[in-house]
Amino acid sequence: MTGRTAPSGASRPPLSLDEYAERARTRLGPEIWDFIEGGAGEERTLAANRAAFDRTRLSPRVLTGVGECDPSTTVLGRRWGAPVAVAPMAYHTLMHPDGETATARAAGAAGLPLVVSTFAGRTFAEIAAAATSPLWLQVYCFRDRDTTRRLIEHAEAAGFEALVLTVDTPRLGRRLRDLRNDFRLPPHITPANLPADEADYSSPSEHGRTGLDPALDWSVIAWLRSVSRLPVLVKGVMTAEDARRAIAAGVDGIVVSNHGGRQLDGAPATLDVLAPIAAAVDGRCALLLDGGVRRGRDVLGALALGADAVLLGRPVLHGLAVAGGAGAAGVLGLVLDELSEAMTLTGTATVADADASLLAGPEDTAPARHRRSGGAPLPDRPEPTGTATATLHKENLHRSVTDTSPPTPPANTPTAGLHKQDLHRSVTDTSPPTPPANTPTAGLRKQDLHRSVTDTSPPTPPANTPTAGLRKQDLHRSVSDPVLDTMNFLNEITGRFPDVVSFAPGRPYEEFFDKDEILEHIRRYLDHLAAGGASNEAIRTALYQYGPTAGQIRELISDSLRADEGIDAPPGAIVVTVGAQEGMLLALRALFADPGDVLLVASPCYVGITGAASLLGVPVHPVEERTDGLDVADVEAAVLAERARGRRPRAFYVVPDHSNPSGNTMSRRAREELLELAARHDLLILEDSPYRLVSPGVQLPTLKSMDHARRVIHLGSYSKSVFPSARVGFVVADQPVRDPSGAETLLADELAKIKSMVTVNTPALSQAAVAGALLACGGRLTERNAVPAKHYGEALRVTLEQLDRHFPEDVRDRLGIGWNRPSGGFFLTVRVPFPADNAALLRSAEDHGVIWTPMAYFYPGPGGERSIRLSFSYLSPAEIEDGIARLAAFLHAEIERPGATGPTSGRDT
């Protein structure tokens, strides 16, 4: 018998990733080898990553009938050839001159994504030209944010599809191999996508120390959203707590990673922490893992413990060093072949079928099964007889380790986290609901009861029985609050004098509304649902039924907020409300749980917030604006004063842009100071800015878009920017809420619970109309409202022009009249030298045919007695001209009345 001579080990292709590593070692200089292979410290974590997979045992299953397995999967909406991607690694050009372009070709041939490092040795354009599968960008955030921004912009322009922010490098780990070698990059190896003349990149450790931002916090996610629309993943998460924080921050994916053992030595292996993180994620975002993957069965083991995919790192570089692109392709091919083999031998037909029942081992434990991100619950299977790692059961340890009392957060925790026990008790009410009529309880038949209970004849009252009258003092005190009477008086005046010119209502100008447009909006939204794959039955349900309590257009609102306001609010952090007024009610009810909690409000302020506070019995502390608007020092003084009284300032309500009623706008510096104050004093901010998107010119950023610590609850409304009768508003409430067990939800979830007992939901028809309007403009209401904003700006200009005409500077100084000059919005404030009360308003309507609003209506306490609010939004320029002439006649007449008391006091300015 004859046969071929067996090939020598050097000439045949490597048969394992370890063989690729051995061959690569012989081809690389020792300092290069140590640079890519080394870990931090004593390299215990580096070794632990491999050891964790070595302990993993998979259970073979026979006669399963699965046939050919399918290793493909979908991550972030893109189909991958297998649940494997190439991990981000710097300077592939150290391994081969083609560098990342060779890696991109190899990954594309296998249908796998490549995560390109910030420190890639080839340009993004070159890599994209070579790629045939998805490219993601790994992002380091530099101290110079402009450098990071430009890097992202270049990647996005090249067609990259996601951002992977490395979050575990506030400083680089102490890598002893590199220190011993005094490692420096060869002169021809540079980061091709970073500025060549702005830093010395030759020492990676030194550049990391000086270039990377060591002070990153969770606000960086919002910043990334502000500079790019790409999905954002965070890489470096190693605890379930950080995973929950990442989800609360709105990430699209999490990479469980210890940086390949190159950061904190002694940290656990990634595989050992995967299961609790997967349980915390629970399918709410993509979940990936890297560190220690060296075989196809390692991939399957990670999937069994809850990962959606893994990242493969150093072995790809080994393949590049051995044979360039062909070597990288060989490495990926080996892993995919071994994965297919492992799937077939365990009876795993698809990636979705991989769960903890695959795992077995001598420990004979039963790990929990997890849910794939975005997928349905995994199918039932017998629980395994063992687990892969040497895991201890918590119930077998001392009871102290199972204490479920919430951990005490550090004093400098940056985010505005809330304890569930600090919210109103209604959100934690666990009393059972009243069962529906068909609930199979021990019910009684009415016909079996005494006939008296079925007698429907009306009772005959005694002849002298008085009617059931109520005394007002027996009703809740809020109905006697003057705040609740203010608008009624205005409506009464308007009804009695229909021919007056009214500067009272802050309504949008009706000429911009087309009666047929509502139907077009609804149709557009229905078409949007159909284009998204919704069936006719699903669309019918969405339009005719109540729908989810938190709202069914949250995704569109989220996109619009990001496009128009720079607010990064994931849909889950939004509750769609019946106007902003309901949002105020929900927020106050949830937040003000203790009688000692106090609401601070910028004064004068919108009566809706003080009215809601009155209804709920929430104490209000006004912080009066000064002549030029709000002074943050006054807010701090109010905080300290309330604390001195033994009460807790819980939140501060403010309209920072074109305020109702004053028309004032906070400066950017004041906004920054307010956010700093909120963090310093553990204060939440209720931000209400309904006039921004219908005001001309460039607007200052919202407080929420500047909010890096989740201190701001943003109250929104489409009454001005779409149309009032929709009665659709929203609350952005992304604050984490921690219950006594340590579990976290978002404040939005708690608000939705309260809403379910108030309005149940926001009408689906109204939501559909608003959604259609958002779709029509791609979410950019600023563009949709360009013409209305121009009109309102012109109305403001005409109002100021007419005031100047009737009251030149010398005249107004002599009479004691003045006004502010807003930059937008619907209102301005006029100071007058007499009491601007309801009696004066009645004289103005009767004798001069003009209506305005007393500013005293908007002060929670004393104040505003000699100021009036003018709203010009509802009037045409001709009506404004006529109305200001009438107002001037009234002001002159009122000043000349007997008893006029002279110029206005400073508090009304």
Side-chain angles (χ1 to χ4, degrees), residues 202-231:
S202 62
S203 171
S205 61
E206 180 62 20
H207 177 258
R209 185 182 67 80
T210 60
L212 302 183
D213 185 350
L216 289 184
D217 58 29
W218 288 104
S219 67
V220 71
I221 306 300
W223 180 80
L224 286 175
R225 297 286 195 196
S226 73
V227 300
S228 173
R229 294 179 64 84
L230 295 180

Side-chain angles (χ1 to χ4, degrees), residues 434-441:
T434 303
N438 59 353
T439 301
T441 55

